[in-house]
Amino acid sequence: MRMRKIWLAFALASSVTFAANNNDWPNVKADCDAVAHPKPDPPPPNLVNRIIPCATGFFRARPVHPTVKSIVPGGGFGLGPTFSQPFNRGKWQREFVATGVGSMRQSWLTEARLGAMHPAFGQNTSAEDSFSYHVYAHAINMPRMVYYGIGPNVGQQNLVNFRERTEVAGGDVFNPFSSWFAAGGTIESLWADVGGVADPGLRSIETVFRESTAPGLTSQPNLIHYEFYAEPRRTRHKFQFDYKVGYNFYQDHNTGHYSFRRFKVDGKHTFHPFNQNNVLTIHNRLTISGTGTGNAVPFFLQETLGGSDIDGQPTLRGFRDYRFRAPDLALIQVEYDHRIWGPVGLIGFYDTGQVATKASDFSFADMRHSFGFGLSIWAGGRPMVKLYVGLGSGEGHHTYVGIPAF
């Protein structure tokens, strides 16, 4: 109910802005007319080059355009409208965006976000990106999520399903102090509603697990999430890296039982071994969570390995989505992308990682492994859309089609 009121307020604000700003759709219509009816003079570009402006305009036009996106791994692709409208002033670039999508699997996502950017503050800064802040609210409904239990050795026979709806409202800020260092922070409030599924064809979570084996199953109090992070980076060299090192605190201000800390490192190294058509990426993640005596990390906020995580970021791509879950995580990924013709490229990758209930349990000898290959579609000088198959899990193969966060 809280999120519906927030969403309604944003929607009313957007309707006022809608009436006062420009409409991109006449230009989209002209670009799409040129696909079927190109002008003979001057000679028109080839068909592919005529289609691209039509397609990009169709999915980017203001004030309203259709959106197709993955809601969560396993939730299907959602379709719905997106409203976007800039209102810039001076050096400030501001934009309001509202999106609502739903999938055939009854998953849905609504989001409203007000963002602003300004050239980086500070005298003689070498940063090329901008200072930014966002105020946002979103709600996501996931009626059929999977859970195998907690720990690195849970079996497939433990598979159950649960439903989750999460509502979030908050804000974030980011400032690039230089080309090699940036920092930022987030504060947001989370409301979760988690429980079993009613479908008689599925095994519901409460038939197998209890609060002791799925913390947060019996109650989900409101949590306040605070995050502070630093970004050391190197972006102006053949060998580039970008790290995000963050400290997170989740505060259960009701009972205190689900309060926990989380230290997280997420880094990416990028190399171009021969030329710009070849990209070698090394990605590493480390998450260490901590709780006070008698506290627990809710299972739906724990880290996962397998397929892609809840944010759509690939992990152990040879395993099913969310296959392993625990408070702590270690992951290393190596991927090689090679553009072979036009926008088409080949992918090869190797992943290794482990989840743990405490950091002292990490062991290189116990890490899981997967590998795979596939195709990519390049845009803007890098692979964007990826189609691949993950192997090596010993549990079959895992396929993926989409735009990964990695």
Side-chain angles (χ1 to χ4, degrees):
M1 191 65 181
R2 308 179 193 92
M3 187 58 61
R4 291 191 183 98
K5 291 179 179 178
I6 295 171
W7 177 255
L8 178 59
F10 275 122
L12 291 174
S14 71
S15 64
V16 175
T17 311
F18 174 86
N21 289 276
N22 296 328
N23 189 337
D24 291 339
W25 281 101
N27 295 330
V28 175
K29 182 178 184 301
D31 288 335
C32 293
D33 284 344
V35 175
H37 307 287
K39 295 181 180 179
D41 187 27
N46 62 45
L47 179 60
V48 173
N49 289 336
R50 298 201 306 273
I51 290 175
I52 290 175
C54 171
T56 56
F58 186 78
F59 286 101
R60 294 181 181 178
R62 294 188 179 103
V64 178
H65 59 261
T67 293
V68 179
K69 64 182 296 182
S70 173
I71 298 176
V72 292
F77 282 88
L79 172 65
T82 291
F83 174 92
S84 64
Q85 192 63 59
F87 47 103
N88 302 327
R89 184 176 180 181
K91 293 184 177 181
W92 284 99
Q93 298 182 34
R94 301 182 180 93
E95 185 175 32
F96 172 82
V97 180
T99 299
V101 296
S103 77
M104 298 295 291
R105 299 181 183 180
Q106 299 182 329
S107 296
W108 52 259
L109 167 69
T110 61
E111 180 178 35
R113 179 179 295 264
L114 175 64
M117 294 192 304
H118 187 283
F121 293 105
Q123 295 182 347
N124 302 319
T125 178
S126 58
E128 295 181 346
D129 43 358
S130 301
F131 168 87
S132 65
Y133 70 83
H134 301 88
V135 179
Y136 55 85
H138 69 256
I140 184 169
N141 184 62
M142 301 164 284
R144 184 177 171 180
M145 298 291 286
V146 298
Y147 182 66
Y148 295 87
I150 296 173
N153 299 310
V154 293
Q156 295 186 78
Q157 71 277 7
N158 294 337
L159 173 64
V160 295
N161 292 90
F162 68 97
R163 58 167 179 82
E164 178 182 352
R165 186 178 68 200
T166 302
E167 302 170 349
V168 179
D172 61 53
V173 63
F174 169 84
N175 188 58
F177 293 96
S178 70
S179 62
W180 56 269
F181 182 78
T186 300
I187 180 170
E188 58 187 13
S189 184
L190 292 81
W191 297 270
D193 180 14
V194 176
V197 296
D199 188 335
L202 301 175
R203 186 163 65 158
S204 188
I205 187 171
E206 78 280 1
T207 64
V208 178
F209 295 94
R210 300 290 182 268
E211 175 66 23
S212 59
T213 51
L217 179 60
T218 58
S219 66
Q220 304 88 41
N222 171 239
L223 298 175
I224 307 298
H225 171 216
Y226 310 89
E227 179 186 28
F228 306 96
Y229 64 88
E231 282 194 14
R233 54 193 185 168
R234 187 187 193 188
T235 59
R236 299 178 180 176
H237 197 273
K238 181 178 180 180
F239 303 99
Q240 302 177 3
F241 67 81
D242 190 348
Y243 272 78
K244 181 177 180 180
V245 183
Y247 175 81
N248 297 259
F249 181 63
Y250 291 79
Q251 179 186 12
D252 172 4
H253 55 81
N254 183 13
T255 66
H257 178 65
Y258 297 109
S259 294
F260 67 96
R261 307 172 302 278
R262 175 170 286 166
F263 173 74
K264 191 169 184 177
V265 180
D266 196 323
K268 182 171 70 172
H269 299 252
T270 304
F271 312 89
H272 297 278
F274 307 108
N275 53 46
Q276 295 300 312
N277 291 328
N278 298 271
V279 184
L280 176 64
T281 305
I282 301 174
H283 178 226
N284 50 82
R285 287 172 58 192
L286 175 67
T287 298
I288 304 295
S289 300
T291 61
T293 302
N295 286 15
V297 180
F299 80 93
F300 51 88
L301 291 178
Q302 295 185 14
E303 296 278 35
T304 64
L305 282 179
S308 302
D309 64 16
I310 198 168
D311 297 318
Q313 188 164 353
T315 60
L316 290 179
R317 286 170 275 189
F319 290 85
R320 296 180 181 178
D321 297 326
Y322 320 116
R323 179 64 179 82
F324 304 103
R325 184 187 302 256
D328 300 339
L329 172 147
L331 174 68
I332 300 173
Q333 299 174 292
V334 180
E335 179 173 303
Y336 185 74
D337 295 271
H338 172 59
R339 181 156 56 177
I340 56 175
W341 175 78
V344 181
L346 297 176
I347 306 170
F349 61 83
Y350 168 76
D351 308 321
T352 182
Q354 183 184 4
V355 297
T357 54
K358 57 182 184 295
S360 59
D361 290 339
F362 283 131
S363 170
F364 284 108
D366 296 328
M367 296 185 82
R368 302 279 182 161
H369 309 271
S370 67
F371 64 92
F373 55 89
L375 298 174
S376 61
I377 305 299
W378 287 56
R382 63 191 183 97
M384 294 292 290
V385 180
K386 299 185 178 183
L387 308 86
Y388 58 72
V389 57
L391 306 166
S393 66
E395 299 178 358
H397 66 277
H398 181 263
T399 56
Y400 175 89
V401 178
I403 303 176
F406 170 48

